[in-house]
Amino acid sequence: MNSKQYLTSLTIIHLGLLMGQVIFGVIAFFLNSQEDFSTEGDNSDLRNIFIYLVPFLILSGVSAGFFMMRSRLSMIQQKNSLAEKLQEYRTVLIMKYALMEGPALVALVAYLLTADLMFLGLAALVIVFFVLERPSKDKIIMDLALNSEGRSALQNPETKVL
């Protein structure tokens, strides 16, 4: 796999996870805006649970993703082979994305069940943050603290990296 294919695969993974969140959010918004669709009964108990659960999950999921990434990056940087570094980096990046995506989906479920726009707003906030975490060559170079040989290999789209 060359460096262009590697970056493309990371971008596709990121975009797929992002689109899943966005599409689910749009569907939840559409369903809650329909008069035929209603969450019958009193949702105050459910809302009271989600009012604490959703922010807790968002804070802990995003924080855990960044702390896990930071600690794993220090181990990855110790590896000698660029291929090993990039394989580990992809794994860690997917774990970080999952830790961010999970709380966003829970917030969207909370919105779907309670129709409280606060949960939709919290999910949108996480989604915006997720967008900012899009993979790029510069981020990879910086995260892995690549030497000049690794940088040039990653920046040349035809160089085989995996």
Side-chain angles (χ1 to χ4, degrees):
M1 175 182 291
N2 63 33
S3 64
K4 183 178 181 180
Q5 292 169 329
Y6 177 78
L7 186 61
T8 301
S9 71
L10 287 182
T11 303
I12 288 170
I13 291 167
H14 180 263
L15 186 61
L17 294 172
L18 174 65
M19 291 310 298
Q21 295 171 72
V22 170
I23 290 169
F24 184 52
V26 168
I27 290 170
F29 182 78
F30 177 74
L31 287 174
N32 272 337
S33 68
Q34 298 299 308
E35 291 179 20
D36 296 341
F37 181 82
S38 65
T39 50
E40 297 288 329
D42 182 22
N43 287 330
S44 63
D45 290 339
L46 191 58
R47 185 184 177 285
N48 289 338
I49 292 170
F50 282 134
I51 202 91
Y52 296 106
L53 181 66
V54 169
F56 172 76
L57 289 175
I58 289 173
L59 287 174
S60 60
V62 171
S63 299
F66 279 100
F67 287 125
M68 180 271 312
M69 179 98 172
R70 181 183 265 170
S71 69
R72 295 284 302 267
L73 281 178
S74 63
M75 292 188 302
I76 293 171
Q77 291 169 354
Q78 305 299 319
K79 304 238 183 230
N80 293 326
S81 158
L82 178 62
E84 283 182 271
K85 288 180 180 183
L86 293 176
Q87 286 175 341
E88 290 283 326
Y89 184 74
R90 179 176 39 213
T91 302
V92 171
L93 204 57
I94 290 170
M95 290 171 29
K96 178 182 175 182
Y97 290 160
L99 287 168
M100 291 173 66
E101 181 187 34
L105 294 176
V106 171
L108 290 170
V109 168
Y111 168 69
L112 185 62
L113 295 175
T114 64
D116 188 336
L117 285 172
M118 178 190 69
F119 298 123
L120 184 62
L122 289 171
L125 183 67
V126 175
I127 290 170
V128 167
F129 197 60
F130 194 90
V131 168
L132 297 175
E133 290 299 311
R134 182 176 177 266
S136 70
K137 286 180 188 177
D138 293 334
K139 279 186 182 179
I140 295 169
I141 290 169
M142 186 178 69
D143 285 345
L144 297 179
L146 295 178
N147 58 22
S148 59
E149 183 181 317
R151 275 187 230 135
S152 63
L154 197 61
Q155 290 175 337
N156 182 353
E158 299 307 317
T159 303
K160 185 176 177 173
V161 293
L162 289 181

